[in-house]
Amino acid sequence: MQTTIDSTTNKTTIASVIDDLKQLTKVGLSLSVVFSAIAGYLLAVETIHVPTLIMLAIGGYLMVGASNTFNQIIEKDTDKLMSRTKNRPLPTGRMSVNTAMIIGVFCTISGIAILYNINSKTAMFGAISIFLYASLYTPLKAVTPLSVFVGAIPGAIPFMLGWVAATGSFGIEPGMLFMIQFFWQFPHFWAIGWLGYDEYKKAGFNMLPTGEKNKKATNQILLYTVCMIIVSIIPVFKVTGTLELSPIAAIIILFLGIFMLYFGIQLHKKQTNKVARQLMLSSVLYITVIQIVYVIDKFL
């Protein structure tokens, strides 16, 4: 009987530890980053090198996991104030700061080491991403809405990171992939900022460009959405080196962009959380599908 109880307790403990690690590294976000990096890699290669792809996936996950871990260490007190974050491992006390720091350092060192085994530029961009997210974006969140602009830089690195991993060089092609994801960050995160406005305010954060839920903010959302759409279809004009897009693929991406823009326009008109959520979900759909379209178009 005692053995059964101990076995059940151990299973529960292991499951809870794994769950805490998933929360600490934000497994959903980290996997989306890995997806973007793999898409960028596939766009650059003619022949897939499986070991490189595996290293990119693991190194990319650890890179984002490190950034998220340091973010939660810095924000453990403010996380207690928001219902969305108050049950994370650090604010609840399920994990100590020292343990989280060890995990963050481990993810940083091992992630950069794995990316360095691909090539030095991939490791460099991975290190830059961790530094900008943890050392600039996270502390700036409590100071200025401009933190979103800083955060958009590490947020835009994954798509281009895959290309750099495949080629070992940085040029117009990965630069264009960076710009696509860079402009996408703004409508996406401002929609999240709109939805979490009251919660963020309790924690002392202001994630909207004008500091308020108003039409000046939605003007910015519309502007950056239009920029995102334009940048996303530029490769169809064959001015971005070996990164090209067929007219059919460009039309599909254009319609996806217009679909997302529609919700931006609706948010501008209605100023409601319901529409902000629709915009946020459409932005997730947009960035996921266009990466798939780019890859499929390349291999067709």
Side-chain angles (χ1 to χ4, degrees), residues 210-243:
T210 58
E212 299 290 338
K213 294 167 76 171
N214 55 28
K215 292 200 171 184
K216 288 183 179 179
T218 50
N219 278 333
Q220 294 288 313
I221 288 172
L222 293 175
L223 172 64
Y224 281 89
T225 303
V226 170
C227 290
M228 176 200 74
I229 294 169
I230 293 170
V231 170
S232 295
I233 61 172
I234 282 178
V236 76
F237 300 108
K238 302 188 186 303
V239 293
T240 51
T242 56
L243 180 66

Side-chain angles (χ1 to χ4, degrees), residues 44-78:
V45 297
E46 292 301 326
T47 304
I48 297 170
H49 186 242
V50 175
T52 299
L53 202 59
I54 292 171
M55 286 191 291
L56 178 63
I58 296 172
Y61 187 97
L62 291 170
M63 175 189 80
V64 187
S67 299
N68 291 328
T69 298
F70 293 134
N71 170 270
Q72 290 183 47
I73 290 170
I74 295 167
E75 295 183 350
K76 73 178 180 64
D77 292 327
T78 51

Side-chain angles (χ1 to χ4, degrees), residues 155-189:
I157 284 177
F159 203 13
M160 58 149 271
L161 191 72
W163 189 288
V164 175
T167 64
S169 63
F170 182 85
I172 189 168
E173 299 92 347
M176 185 57 57
L177 298 180
F178 175 88
M179 293 304 292
I180 292 169
Q181 208 156 21
F182 178 78
F183 282 113
W184 170 82
Q185 301 276 323
F186 297 100
H188 175 70
F189 281 107

